Amino acid sequence: MTAGPLPASPVGLVGLGLIGGSLGLDLQRRGVAVRALVHRPQTAERARQRGLAQEVSTDPAVLADCALVVLALPLDRLLEPDPALLAALPRQAVVTDVGSVKQPVLHRWEPLHPRFVASHPMAGTAQAGVEAGQVDLFQGCPWVATPGPGTDPEALAAVQMLAEAVGARWLCCEAGEHDRAVALISHLPVLASAALLQTADRASRPEACGSPQLAALVRALASSGFADTTRVGGGNPALGTLMARCNRSSLQAALGAYRGQLEQLEALLEQADWPALEAELERCRQLRPAFL
Amino acid sequence: MTAGPLPASPVGLVGLGLIGGSLGLDLQRRGVAVRALVHRPQTAERARQRGLAQEVSTDPAVLADCALVVLALPLDRLLEPDPALLAALPRQAVVTDVGSVKQPVLHRWEPLHPRFVASHPMAGTAQAGVEAGQVDLFQGCPWVATPGPGTDPEALAAVQMLAEAVGARWLCCEAGEHDRAVALISHLPVLASAALLQTADRASRPEACGSPQLAALVRALASSGFADTTRVGGGNPALGTLMARCNRSSLQAALGAYRGQLEQLEALLEQADWPALEAELERCRQLRPAFL
């Protein structure tokens, strides 16, 4: 929990999954009034039991008096917003989102609301849904805003106050740069990691390798290194697909660059150029700390 | 610490790095006499201070009375063994190694010693050297033996006793199968992970992307997912290179299969076939638990 100024109250949360639920818990602990809109009555009931907001409703009217509304929705629902939600968003409220791809969100929402700010809190766990929200999720994590030329500076400052109130590290950059960056450090790793699982599975099948035992052996011998490297590839398939769909061109560019790097490593093996391979791996060892 | 029968005593350790040092600590705790041969006097001194063996020497004669000798050496020194070491190995002793590639080791050592058993304890940390050894390193980890047609069954049983005395999970398989398996679940992940670091670095340079900020942005935004996925790629370069050199053909086959999987994922992006991508990611999610 950090100190610092509090965001305008009440805050409205649209969706109470991992991000929305965690925001609700943290903001209430800081004394901010929180109202939430959810889709299903069962979710509302459970959210009330968990105390994720002071008021939880399936009626968009719950947002009526909110000074700041956070659209904590999956990318697809953000890009094709419910007309009832749009109608219920107060025109004077600051509105932000939490989507992991920013260019299409900014493009879609700038014409929809005068005080929209595209943003992306980069906090995640493997959890999702109404049970996932937890206190202090954002502590020390980046919260990136990607203002466009039309973004209201006061609205941007209000979202910064929200981010900092829950302990996040505030950053601003251009939406396209954000999307290229997350393609390289988040979306590409999901596919690279998934392909490792697929390869260990498929290349060890009897019809692929001629051995009836290899499939069981790879499963018995896989250790912490394999577990770490495949964690993001074994994650939420719907989320991974949405990221790929919404960030397609940046991800395609990243995949192309990745394939090029792999081909260079393959060439070193082909040439048995061990000093060059060791130099590349040494460079990777030196590179990694800057990404931690 | 597990119970169970103790290996023949004294045990000789050649090398006191992560594996040798950890074995020395665990065996002594179980009451087994341990003698160690190391290369440098400074290492011997530090090993004595750490109590990694009762007797530590740079003179191969220290192995004279050992009933079981563990060659805890890097692969290159294992494949080109010191003639003084070879001359000092008692002919009646059981000899095993800890190398992470087994076919070349078995091939090299079967003619060198009548009671050689090729084996691979699959325990690792990022540490190396005389400071790395730790108690209980092997607890619950696989210890794989790869006997050949000429392997002495009694010698194999002695190594099994050693492995189980330090809490490892004993497995036997054919050397070539071992090498194909570790290529898929250990050596390929190192290169796939290294290539992610290289891609995040190179594709974000101003000359590659046209942006002066992207390099700093990828470093600021990389989070736990990137950290996990790149851990093994940022590891020991000498070790990674040795693995690639000693397991070259299996690693080349694994890389080829991996490239094929990536190309399939790229094709799904190209075709914008989101249901098929989601089905692949769902399959990965289902696959992963069997590898943990």
Side-chain angles (χ1 to χ4, degrees), chain A residues 94-117:
Chain A
V94 171
V95 176
T96 191
D97 75 307
V98 303
S100 57
V101 183
K102 298 267 60 91
Q103 218 165 18
V105 172
L106 186 64
H107 185 256
R108 184 82 180 89
W109 274 86
E110 263 200 326
L112 289 179
H113 196 282
R115 305 192 80 197
F116 179 74
V117 175

Side-chain angles (χ1 to χ4, degrees), chain A residues 119-142:
Chain A
S119 85
H120 177 204
M122 296 189 69
T125 71
Q127 311 308 312
V130 70
E131 304 297 337
Q134 60 183 63
V135 295
D136 277 342
L137 178 72
F138 306 97
Q139 201 67 48
C141 292

Side-chain angles (χ1 to χ4, degrees), chain B residues 114-137:
Chain B
R115 305 192 79 197
F116 179 75
V117 176
S119 85
H120 177 203
M122 297 189 68
T125 71
Q127 311 308 312
V130 69
E131 304 297 338
Q134 59 183 64
V135 295
D136 278 341
L137 179 72

Side-chain angles (χ1 to χ4, degrees), chain A residues 10-35:
Chain A
V11 167
L13 300 175
V14 181
L16 286 172
L18 175 67
I19 300 291
S22 300
L23 277 176
L25 291 171
D26 279 357
L27 290 172
Q28 288 179 90
R29 286 206 304 166
R30 299 257 0 236
V32 177
V34 178
R35 299 178 186 172

Side-chain angles (χ1 to χ4, degrees), chain A residues 177 180 192 198 201 209 211 213 227-228 230-231 237 248 258-259 266 269-270 280 282-283 288, chain B residues 177 180 192 198 201 209 211 213 227-228 230-231 237 248 258-259 266 269-270 280 282-283 288:
Chain A
E177 295 241 66
R180 285 199 283 176
Q198 293 178 313
D201 173 45
C209 71
S211 157
Q213 285 100 32
D228 282 357
T230 58
R231 184 172 69 80
R248 185 179 170 207
Y258 183 60
R259 192 161 27 74
E266 271 189 284
L269 254 75
E270 179 64 33
E280 287 290 344
E282 177 57 42
R283 175 144 180 74
R288 188 164 176 268
Chain B
E177 296 240 67
R180 287 200 280 176
Q198 294 178 313
D201 173 45
C209 72
S211 157
Q213 285 101 32
D228 282 356
T230 57
R231 184 173 68 79
R248 184 179 171 209
Y258 183 60
R259 192 161 28 75
E266 271 189 283
L269 254 74
E270 179 64 35
E280 286 292 342
E282 176 58 43
R283 175 142 180 74
R288 189 164 175 266

